[in-house]
Amino acid sequence: MRPAVTHRPDARGRFGAFGGRFVPETVMAALDELEAAVEEAFADPTFAAEMEALHRDYVGRQTPLYLAERLTEDVGGAQIWLKREDLAHTGAHKINNAVGQALLARRLGKRRIVAETGAGQHGVATATVCARFGLEAVVYMGEEDMRRQRPNVVRMGLLGATLMPVTAGAGTLKDAMNEAIRDWIASVETTHYLIGSAAGPHPYPYLVRELQAVIGHEARAQMLERTGRLPDAVVACVGGGSNAIGLFHPFRDDDVRLVGVEAGGDGAALHAASIGGGRVSVLHGSRSYVLADEHGQVEETHSISAGLDYPGVGPEHAHLHETGRAEYVPESDDDALRAFHRLCLLEGIIPALESSHAIARAERVARELGPDGVVLVGLSGRGDKDVGSVIEREGHPLRAVEPNPEPEREVVQ
Ligand SMILES: *Cc1c(COP(=O)(O)O)cnc(C)c1O
């Protein structure tokens, strides 16, 4: 029999068998302090009012719910609705979490912020809120990701963050996270660790979910208002799992399918599907599914999207998987790219490659459900940051504008 679903972490910070705190003693006190500040803030109407004002005036919430009419027609199945987190300030859902944690850091009296970043979206969101609140931002980023996500590296610089390049491992998100945690352990008295996803030790998975749940709360109300019903399925991409859990959570008690889409990479051994291809282990302070060998050695991942290139997944997703409340499926690099182009050409929206994985799966689900169905997709971010990766893989898209060669002239002596 499957275990029952729980939506509150227990006294040890676990969702069922997953989560908890696997950290050095020095960090334990800081996590206790953060947990107390979270409880206090969530019960404080002043915090709620500050969040609401920032959401409205700074982040640009609420974000629209958009019926993708031409995509729907082209797929020929259920209606496909997009929750437009790509239109939030800085171009992705990451800002929802960063704003909330910056307010918490201020409450804790911590003026130095460390963060890890993969695609650079969380680094940009962190640099943004640090500028806004006058905090010092130190962002760890793998060198391979710095190469893949050049525009975000420049943005972080403009916003005044200190960027720390990480050469260890494959130079991607896992390595950046290791370094950020190392920094935090050494500086915990003065520093808040602004983790970018619903992962890490308790209370982070719970905290980040609550800060991202604004996505699902808005989408659920908008859906009811626009269509008079709830969707049949809610689909979101899963890296660490923050945009997905934020979208899923408000639908937890509804008769709605929750579909998390992991990065399937090239479809062979190299992928980043932690639930689909991983095993239960401990990574970055909590127990969850991890892409690791039988000795617990973390494997190198691959995805075309830097934001999904993470060998772990937030513990609440592991729990939703084990209880059967949510399903987790992979989409490959190629299928995500196809969905990316279709959204560009059919809707005039350039989606993030991460979000393109969710679009690819939403098309399949829409076909399964047929024309009476309704699918809600989390469009977690915009694709401006990804155009370099797409060109690298497919060549330049602007073949039609190559200039005509100069007409040859006869040389008159
Ligand atoms: C970071 C990122 C993701 C993956 O992170 P989650 O924590 O799984 O949401 C997905 N989409 C975009 C646009 C991102 O920037």
Side-chain angles (χ1 to χ4, degrees):
M1 212 179 77
R2 287 177 184 275
V5 190
T6 170
H7 301 290
R8 269 303 290 208
D10 66 17
R12 293 188 302 160
R14 294 183 183 225
F15 293 94
F18 304 99
R21 280 182 185 170
F22 296 83
V23 295
E25 202 55 43
T26 43
V27 170
M28 229 25 140
L31 292 172
D32 283 337
E33 181 191 40
L34 176 62
E35 189 177 0
V38 168
E39 293 305 331
E40 201 184 288
F42 287 174
D44 180 356
T46 315
F47 183 80
E50 280 179 316
M51 284 298 289
E52 199 183 312
L54 284 162
H55 277 161
R56 187 190 59 227
D57 303 334
Y58 191 67
V59 178
R61 304 207 72 90
Q62 44 187 20
T63 59
L65 178 73
Y66 170 72
L67 173 60
E69 274 182 78
R70 295 191 69 220
L71 181 67
T72 297
E73 195 182 321
D74 197 75
V75 170
Q79 283 185 355
I80 301 175
W81 292 77
L82 309 179
K83 179 58 174 164
R84 298 288 308 273
E85 293 301 298
D86 61 315
L87 294 178
H89 183 41
T90 71
H93 67 288
K94 298 274 181 5
I95 191 79
N96 304 325
N97 171 46
V99 161
Q101 287 202 47
L103 284 183
L104 282 170
R106 204 169 62 168
R107 281 178 166 245
L108 289 165
K110 296 192 169 171
R111 308 208 57 84
R112 181 175 180 270
I113 304 291
V114 292
E116 79 295 332
T117 196
Q121 286 300 117
H122 178 56
V124 168
T126 299
T128 298
V129 298
C130 286
R132 168 66 184 75
F133 291 102
L135 305 168
E136 180 192 354
V138 178
V139 180
Y140 289 85
M141 186 171 190
E143 284 201 324
E144 166 62 13
D145 286 339
M146 287 177 67
R147 190 188 63 73
R148 286 198 282 190
Q149 306 288 336
R150 189 76 203 153
N152 277 342
V153 170
V154 176
R155 291 164 85 197
M156 283 184 264
L158 291 171
L159 292 161
T162 302
L163 197 64
M164 309 289 269
V166 176
T167 51
T172 58
L173 182 54
K174 159 181 73 79
D175 314 299
M177 205 151 162
N178 285 336
E179 290 306 314
I181 291 172
R182 206 162 288 159
D183 179 318
W184 189 46
I185 290 169
S187 64
V188 73
E189 297 286 321
T190 58
T191 301
H192 174 66
Y193 177 28
L194 207 171
I195 197 167
S197 192
H202 179 68
Y204 282 107
Y206 165 71
L207 166 61
V208 176
R209 178 193 82 191
E210 291 297 299
L211 294 174
Q212 292 292 3
V214 66
I215 306 171
H217 285 302
E218 285 180 8
R220 190 175 181 282
Q222 288 169 317
M223 204 82 221
L224 286 171
E225 193 187 309
R226 299 280 295 282
T227 67
R229 53 164 292 185
L230 291 174
D232 298 288
V234 176
V235 183
C237 65
V238 177
S242 69
N243 88 90
I245 204 73
L247 184 61
F248 290 176
H249 185 62
F251 292 95
R252 64 194 178 274
D253 298 324
D254 299 320
D255 184 20
V256 169
R257 259 173 81 187
L258 305 176
V259 184
V261 187
E262 298 194 296
D266 65 7
L270 288 173
H271 55 65
S274 312
I275 293 180
R279 61 182 74 228
V280 175
S281 184
V282 170
L283 179 67
H284 298 141
S286 72
R287 171 177 284 124
S288 186
Y289 286 90
V290 180
L291 288 166
D293 65 21
E294 66 268 35
H295 309 295
Q297 196 65 34
V298 178
E299 287 162 0
E300 292 305 340
T301 50
H302 163 76
S303 166
I304 188 169
S305 63
L308 301 184
D309 214 342
Y310 178 60
V313 64
E316 193 171 358
H317 286 293
H319 177 63
L320 293 178
H321 168 68
E322 189 159 88
T323 54
R325 176 62 190 93
E327 50 198 284
Y328 295 86
V329 287
E331 289 289 349
S332 68
D333 289 349
D334 285 344
D335 287 340
L337 264 171
R338 267 192 285 275
F340 170 89
H341 287 298
R342 289 162 57 75
L343 207 68
C344 290
L345 295 175
L346 290 169
E347 298 291 346
I349 296 170
I350 301 176
L353 286 174
E354 292 84 0
S355 321
S356 301
H357 288 72
I359 304 290
R361 176 56 56 163
E363 293 183 357
R364 291 188 214 277
V365 174
R367 261 181 235 114
E368 268 167 50
L369 289 170
D372 294 334
V374 174
V375 183
L376 169 64
V377 196
L379 190 63
S380 53
R382 64 181 186 221
D384 308 35
K385 68 186 174 58
D386 296 316
V387 296
S389 300
V390 174
I391 290 172
E392 194 171 300
R393 190 165 167 126
E394 299 184 335
H396 209 286
L398 301 180
R399 285 176 302 269
V401 297
E402 271 175 31
N404 289 325
E406 285 273 310
E408 279 181 37
R409 286 192 207 143
E410 275 184 44
V411 182
V412 183
Q413 299 269 1

